[in-house]
Amino acid sequence: MGCSTRTVKKSWVSLSLVASILCWSAVSAQLTPNFYNKTCPQALPIVKAAITQALSQEARMGASLLRLHFHDCFVNGCDGSILLDDTTTFRGEKSAGANANSARGFEVIDNIKTQIEKVCSGVVSCADILALATRDSVVELGGPSWNVTLGRRDSRTASLSGANTNLPGPTSSLTSLISAFQAQGLSAKDMIALSGAHTIGQSRCQFFRSRIYNESNIDKAFAASLQKNCPFNGAGDSNLAPLDSTTANGFDNNYYKNLRSQKGVFHSDQELFNGGSADAQVTTYSTDQQAFFTDFAASMVRMGNIKPLTGTQGEIRKNCRRIN
Ligand code: HEM
Ligand SMILES: *[C@@H]1O[C@H](CO)[C@@H](O)[C@H](O)[C@H]1NC(C)=O
Ligand SMILES: *[C@@H]1O[C@H](CO)[C@@H](O)[C@H](O)[C@H]1NC(C)=O
Ligand SMILES: *[C@@H]1O[C@H](CO)[C@@H](O)[C@H](O)[C@H]1NC(C)=O
């Protein structure tokens, strides 16, 4: 079927409707930052205002939304699959090991979706709302900005097994971190830059207990301070500690500085500075915040472009928690 992505790209705004009618089988359509300029110009301002509001109530919410977008994109692409609730006949991604009792921010997405549906019903996908909410959160917390590519559509399904397989765990080695990102078309460099997301947010004790009691490449005073609120014996699994103990809610390069002083919270974090191939890039980011910001923004765009549903694939959900 003759459907030139080049033509579509050049004059996307005016041709998008025509393109979606003509290109039933298009699979290579591009996302573009201007996707909603004509069809829902209110979308971006609504997301921005809602994020400012949500983060003024709880700064951590910015971290939670960023992680949600990551967990969406790594399971069959950025298609809003993580937002689907379980039902009696359907098990989605929310109960996966990396998400259960942990993924959060769904109410913020619901609130934005409700507001956007009121002004342009059936136009803006949940996957795009999550991508925008993530960018606005990072900016609100002091991090870099980027132009969010748009035009993703929402999945009509989700994959619990994909979530359990694709999302790297906190005990991962450097080698397995690199391969988990490579499986998504992202490089080792992307992985090191995106891991800088751990400059914000919190972790449950269960994910770092073995590191603070059993590992030797950890700053002793740092381990002792985390141990106070994370008992050895298995109680307090859900007790929280900041991923960046220096500036918990500030998006900056302290994550990399922490790694250089053996203050990575997860085993997987410290793998990025443990005498291996990631050390040099960590050192660069630890001394050059601008280099980190530039690379993080570029890697976020690449992560956001993982396998989107476009054209007539999937749907625009009315409610992000269930298929139409
Ligand atoms: C490189 C492999 C990664 C591993 C092993 C990993 C693992 C984890 C774990 C175990 C938590 C704690 C969750 C909890 O206690 O509820 C966490 C939190 C977080 N992760 Fe990652 N992560 C990785 C990469 C990423 C990436 C690529 C991003 C985003 C681009 C990200 C963003 C976050 C954020 C912002 C939080 C804090 C969430 C909150 O406070 O609600 N992580 N991560
Ligand atoms: C589309 O909208 C965005 C955000 O409102 C704006 O920055 C951009 O300049 C607009 N682009 C066009 C081509 O109108
Ligand atoms: C977004 O795109 C516009 C127009 O192409 C450009 O002027 C601007 O610098 C970009 N912003 C970022 C943060 O990359
Ligand atoms: C630490 O390692 C020991 C020996 O392998 C193990 O028995 C113990 O459960 C581990 N403790 C934690 C908190 O991981």
Side-chain angles (χ1 to χ4, degrees):
M1 166 124 206
C3 174
S4 154
T5 28
R6 196 155 50 95
T7 312
V8 173
K9 230 164 88 180
K10 261 186 174 166
S11 46
W12 178 261
V13 174
S14 57
L15 284 184
S16 63
L17 194 63
V18 178
S20 64
I21 291 165
L22 288 178
C23 304
W24 295 107
S25 60
V27 288
S28 57
Q30 307 274 322
L31 303 179
T32 159
N34 300 332
F35 192 81
Y36 298 115
N37 276 31
K38 294 271 161 67
T39 53
C40 192
Q42 305 96 319
L44 273 63
I46 288 174
V47 175
K48 179 143 187 56
I51 291 303
T52 304
Q53 158 73 16
L55 271 57
S56 73
Q57 309 249 310
E58 188 204 14
R60 182 191 174 194
M61 188 52 73
S64 304
L65 291 166
L66 169 56
R67 182 166 188 248
L68 219 46
H69 181 47
F70 162 49
H71 285 197
D72 183 22
C73 293
F74 266 51
V75 183
N76 297 331
C78 316
D79 59 0
S81 55
I82 194 177
L83 304 173
L84 291 173
D85 279 343
D86 288 358
T87 70
T88 46
T89 55
F90 169 83
R91 212 156 162 227
E93 295 165 17
K94 291 186 177 178
S95 59
N99 294 330
N101 301 315
S102 170
R104 61 199 292 280
F106 301 107
E107 295 76 11
V108 174
I109 300 302
D110 291 342
N111 168 41
I112 295 171
K113 179 66 174 173
T114 303
Q115 289 187 53
I116 291 182
E117 283 298 300
K118 277 189 193 141
V119 292
C120 4
S121 180
V123 171
V124 182
S125 69
C126 299
D128 279 348
I129 289 173
L130 183 52
L132 288 165
T134 294
R135 188 270 314 271
D136 292 343
S137 293
V138 169
V139 170
E140 187 77 21
L141 296 174
S145 189
W146 60 92
N147 289 314
V148 179
T149 60
L150 298 166
R152 298 169 192 80
R153 291 167 62 85
D154 298 320
S155 68
R156 291 182 47 78
T157 184
S159 176
L160 175 59
S161 63
N164 279 325
T165 307
N166 299 357
L167 297 168
T171 59
S172 303
S173 66
L174 179 58
T175 309
S176 69
L177 293 173
I178 291 171
S179 42
F181 279 67
Q182 258 161 10
Q184 303 293 334
L186 298 174
S187 66
K189 185 178 180 191
D190 289 318
M191 186 276 288
I192 299 163
L194 291 171
S195 294
H198 288 176
T199 180
I200 53 174
Q202 306 271 328
S203 172
R204 293 156 55 90
C205 152
Q206 70 173 107
F207 294 122
F208 57 80
R209 182 183 284 117
S210 60
R211 168 144 174 83
I212 61 176
Y213 288 103
N214 270 355
E215 298 192 357
S216 53
N217 62 347
I218 186 167
D219 178 271
K220 285 206 166 52
F222 176 66
S225 77
L226 289 180
Q227 286 167 4
K228 280 189 202 147
N229 197 34
C230 183
F232 183 82
N233 64 17
D237 272 0
S238 56
N239 294 356
L240 296 175
L243 291 177
D244 169 7
S245 53
T246 319
T247 49
N249 295 317
F251 198 102
D252 52 32
N253 67 341
N254 283 332
Y255 170 77
Y256 300 101
K257 293 183 185 173
N258 294 338
L259 295 184
R260 290 185 70 190
S261 33
Q262 302 200 310
K263 293 178 183 170
V265 172
F266 303 132
H267 174 85
S268 55
D269 289 324
Q270 200 60 55
E271 280 286 289
L272 303 187
F273 193 84
N274 194 34
S277 61
D279 282 27
Q281 198 179 327
V282 168
T283 301
T284 300
Y285 291 160
S286 75
T287 57
D288 185 349
Q289 177 164 279
Q290 192 50 54
F292 164 50
F293 277 13
T294 302
D295 288 357
F296 182 82
S299 293
M300 284 300 294
V301 172
R302 277 193 284 280
M303 187 178 87
N305 288 344
I306 296 174
K307 286 203 300 197
L309 299 174
T310 57
T312 54
Q313 299 169 321
E315 63 182 18
I316 304 298
R317 269 179 229 149
K318 294 184 195 311
N319 178 330
C320 295
R321 292 176 183 270
R322 43 186 169 270
I323 61 173
N324 292 341

